[in-house]
Amino acid sequence: MGTSDLPAPVVRRDTAPPSDPAALEAALRERVDGEVRFDAGSRAAYSTDASNFRRTPIGVVVPHTPEAAVEAVAVAREYDVPVLSRGGGTSLAGQCANTAVVIDWSKYCTGLESVDTQARTCVVQPGIVLDELNRRLAPTGLRFGPEPATHANCTIGGMIGNNSCGATAQATGKVVDNVARLEVLLYDGTRFWCGETSDEEYAEIERHGDLRATLYRQLRALRDTCADDIRRRFPEIPRRVSGYNLDSLLPEHGFDVAGLLVGSESTLVTVLRAELKLVPVVRERSLVVLGFPDIALAADAVPEILPYEPIALEGVDHHLVHDERLKHLNPQAIAQLPEGKAFLMVQFGGGTVEEADELAHRMLDGLHESEHDPEVAFLDDPAHEEQLWQVREAGLGATAHIPGHPDTWEGWEDSAVAPERLGDYLRRLHDLFEEFGYLSDAGPSLYGHFGQGCVHTRIPFDLYSAQGVADYRRFMERAADLVVEFGGSLSGEHGDGQSRGELLPRMFGEELVAAFGRLKAVFDPGDRMNPGKVVAPYGLDEDLRLGGDWAPYDPRDLHFRFPHDGGSFAEAANRCVGVGKCRRPNTEGGAVMCPSYQVTLEEEHSTRGRARLLFEMLDGHGDSAIRDGWRSRAVKDALDLCLACKGCKSDCPADVDMATYKAEFLSHHYAGRPWRRPRSDLSMGWLPVVAQAVVRGGLGRVVNAFTHTPPLSRLAVAVAGVADREVPWFARQSLQSWFARRDGSVAGARGTVLLWPDTFTNLFHPHVGQAAVELLEHAGWRVAMPSEPLCCGLTWISTGQLGIAERVLARTVRHLGGHLREGGLVVGLEPSCTAVFRSDAGELFPGDRDVRRLTEQTVTLAELLTEHSPGYEPPRVPDRGARAVAQVHCHQHAVLGWEADAKLLRSAGVDAERLDSGCCGLAGNFGFEQGHSEVSRACAERVLLPRLREEDTGTVVLADGFSCRTQIHELDSGGHEAVHLAQLLASALPE
């Protein structure tokens, strides 16, 4: 069989939506075991990935099993509509954005079906997340080798689709080097396992005479026809990811059909299962960080390091470090870097620490004898190594939105050359940046997997204007020619997709690109598998998420001023870069984002999914699935399960603040029609007023009896429109009343500090405030407290009643103005209210000087005692402090920080463990609202409650947040009751 017997290269077909989407949806619902979604919200959430591109899908299928996905493809085939497989949705070249039926594997198809420790292989379903796979494999001492920076949320299916690599590929290779076999499905329904194929196996396949036999025969003919071109034109570099892996079909690679399909970006087959090759876990590691005067000189040193066989060799320039400093990312790690403006992170592995250290010292000795003499920082502490590794892994998000500089974008973010030529390539790339006007003191940053010649960057393309888009195209073409001149690859691990598909002829030549088209025709002659990507591609300037014609609705009647986004809600909604960190299924390492995704595993209920809906709501291209603006029910539904925890404000590398976006949306959603608000918005939003009336009116005993006596309690929650759960007990005496009646106050050698009587401390848990007063006076402070019924406005903010919140907060600022103008500090006890002063207030009133003072002069109890009370030693709590676990409030994590608390507890002799539990699930009003009980409890049961049930009854449970203490009290926490930091320390004060 020759070229004439092969199909002609595939020609792209029209990908217009189906003529009868309702019939397609009905057929999928009837026949597919899974979830089928054709609603506007789902289609909007899946309209883009982490790339510059946007295409609204036909619909989304979330199969329960791989077999259900097979049926979904069968239905799509009957209706002649395209299909796109999607894993974590973090593709940077547009692979996961298409007008197709999207199959999302990540919710249910997450099985580890078998492990063969002798053969060092395992069989997995495509939706399993890499870190989860390696966690399950840990008892075997084995792991899957490649580890992209998105390892906490990327799926194996997505890694196979992109031929992912990561830093560990230095030792383990790309995904193509770590796949034994694949079970695949063609669009026509043909299904089989494939891998390396011996001549005997090929003959056996041939004997069957079926569709698979025809396909294999055509693949062999294509290989034989193109073998010389493949050997000549495929770059012999570690990171050639561009194009299809035709080299896997060569005899020297065992006619490996699985290898061929790795990196095919859902354009050839649907992967149902994968048999993966595993590697032993590296027991011990040492990390050496080398500092150089510039990034090109750092790259020049790479060839000298490679003979010492590091297991990872990463490059980072000073622009990335500067960007992370601006964003307050990884400050402890950055402080450990040696002198220099560019850094190589060189990691060695061994069976013992000594073995790894010895390898590192051998390298250092060799470098000192060479022309390279870098500054050195040597680390063999795993905690410090992990922190420094986070500097590198945060690159994509950290360089996206830099204050005071143009936004940066992907496109040319993944080129690769031979490591020996990397330094010169970076110099020429720098010159190209300068020629196009992209160079500034802010970058572009250059970083990546330097040990394999792979370079990552984000470039300040002007994707908002027609001329800017034209310049972007010219740059991409010139950059492609440059990397080809250096014998490199357009992509080193991110794939081609739409960003680089049309540039492939520059790298491979027309004949090999025609062979790619024939390969596509062998597997998918109708061009129904993710059309327009890799071959017969859409243009790199088509389907842009922005573009010269992007004209979103940009409302100006805003409550929050969005000072970090130029006052633009549209720019705020465009912050998300799609990296998908919010899709982490766990909170290891102290993360919080995103609790609703962690318990639902739904894209729409991730920070990224919600950001996509808000972006689509603004309808910048006039073709959005969401056409009703602020009144959108789809957006409202997606935001409904947002706990407003603010975890994304600190955990998202692009600084998305969904709690603020939700509040702003709700204020406009209900504007002019307050009767549409749920009753809980009134009962919870106006809680400060109700609680003041109850407690100040001496009605606490009566109301508590009413709300805690069945069936009156059920009547109370029904009237309030809240969930059927215990109503918190009102205090009999407010903190303010207690403070006004106490016998005098300590003069205070340190001066006067104002203790803020937030609603929850003042009217529900005044004993917390009383303990704080005693502690502050013990520390030498004179305590002052407002006597008026003031409020920070938190409950109105969280329910989106922002007009009222602004008035309440403005009144509070007026009352505190005198104290603030004298430089006095304000101490907050309730983290959520303290966070309003430190964050929300400044975003509601960015130009108000008193608000600015309030933001700068508000401190937590721990901050006051550790940072503003020099020489203070807290009381030791040896009896109760032997063991404590801390549930850190989400707003404290996101805005205030817990470092001062940890320091104070150590000084007090408390062995405190911060739980990796994320959000407790109550989150202020969220857990009390109807329809949220299941998610609220699931958040608590994910980590928090099981850990508390495991703890000894003598363990102290610390929780400064009223919500956290309430959740622990009401749910099954093993009999534990949580206390505030002030209570714990005050309990050790002398009588």
Side-chain angles (χ1 to χ4, degrees), residues 476-494:
M476 291 288 288
E477 293 168 347
R478 290 280 302 282
D481 291 339
L482 175 64
V483 82
V484 171
E485 177 187 336
F486 275 81
S489 177
L490 309 179
S491 171
E493 65 178 337
H494 296 164

Side-chain angles (χ1 to χ4, degrees), residues 735-751:
L735 174 64
Q736 287 175 310
S737 177
W738 170 85
F739 187 81
R741 296 177 184 180
R742 67 193 296 259
D743 296 330
S745 62
V746 176
R750 298 184 188 275

Side-chain angles (χ1 to χ4, degrees), residues 753-757 772 776 825-829 834 857-862 864:
V753 66
L754 187 146
L755 183 63
W756 173 246
L776 291 172
L825 297 176
V826 176
V827 177
L829 298 176
T834 310
Q857 293 165 219
T858 295
V859 296
T860 67
L861 176 66
L864 181 80

Side-chain angles (χ1 to χ4, degrees), residues 392-410:
R392 162 60 192 87
E393 291 187 347
L396 188 151
T399 56
H401 301 285
I402 307 305
H405 294 280
D407 289 342
T408 60
W409 309 98
E410 49 278 351

Side-chain angles (χ1 to χ4, degrees), residues 354-489:
E354 292 74 18
E355 182 181 339
D357 286 353
E358 174 60 26
L359 293 171
H361 284 296
R362 283 176 53 202
M363 177 205 67
L364 290 174
D365 291 342
L367 283 180
H368 288 312
E369 295 173 2
S370 73
E371 60 182 299
H372 311 286
D373 191 17
E375 299 293 326
V376 177
F378 194 107
L379 297 95
D380 58 10
D381 182 302
H384 291 164
E385 287 185 44
E386 177 62 26
Q387 291 169 5
L388 272 171
W389 222 247
Q390 290 174 5
V391 173
R392 162 60 192 87
E393 291 187 347
L396 188 151
T399 56
H401 301 285
I402 307 305
H405 294 280
D407 289 342
T408 60
W409 309 98
E410 49 278 351
W412 195 251
E413 85 296 336
D414 187 43
S415 54
V417 298
E420 295 76 20
R421 307 193 68 183
L422 181 58
D424 288 339
Y425 171 67
L426 293 180
R427 293 180 180 93
R428 292 279 299 280
L429 186 59
H430 178 278
D431 292 343
L432 197 61
F433 289 154
E434 187 171 28
E435 178 185 338
F436 276 79
Y438 297 143
L439 200 63
S440 74
D441 59 352
S445 175
L446 294 167
Y447 59 96
H449 313 295
F450 279 23
Q452 295 193 314
C454 183
V455 182
H456 295 325
T457 185
R458 290 178 67 92
I459 301 171
F461 298 124
D462 170 15
L463 298 182
Y464 296 93
S465 71
Q467 183 58 53
V469 172
D471 291 340
Y472 151 73
R473 166 173 279 283
R474 287 195 306 113
F475 176 88
M476 291 288 288
E477 293 168 347
R478 290 280 302 282
D481 291 339
L482 175 64
V483 82
V484 171
E485 177 187 336
F486 275 81
S489 177

Side-chain angles (χ1 to χ4, degrees), residues 623-666:
D623 61 352
S624 174
I626 298 174
R627 308 304 296 271
D628 42 358
W630 291 120
R631 297 291 196 235
S632 171
R633 184 68 196 182
V635 177
K636 167 67 170 60
D637 289 346
L639 290 170
D640 183 58
L641 290 187
C642 170
L643 285 81
C645 68
K646 285 189 177 290
C648 50
K649 186 176 179 67
S650 61
D651 294 350
C652 172
D655 304 317
V656 170
D657 182 2
M658 194 52 63
T660 296
Y661 305 169
K662 176 180 180 177
E664 189 69 44
F665 173 84
L666 291 176

Side-chain angles (χ1 to χ4, degrees), residues 323-362:
D323 294 347
E324 294 198 21
R325 280 198 179 107
L326 285 178
K327 292 188 169 190
H328 309 293
L329 296 173
N330 309 309
Q332 294 175 325
I334 289 173
Q336 300 176 63
L337 292 172
E339 290 295 317
K341 289 192 173 182
F343 309 94
L344 293 179
M345 301 169 62
V346 193
Q347 190 172 62
F348 293 91
T352 64
V353 172
E354 292 74 18
E355 182 181 339
D357 286 353
E358 174 60 26
L359 293 171
H361 284 296
R362 283 176 53 202

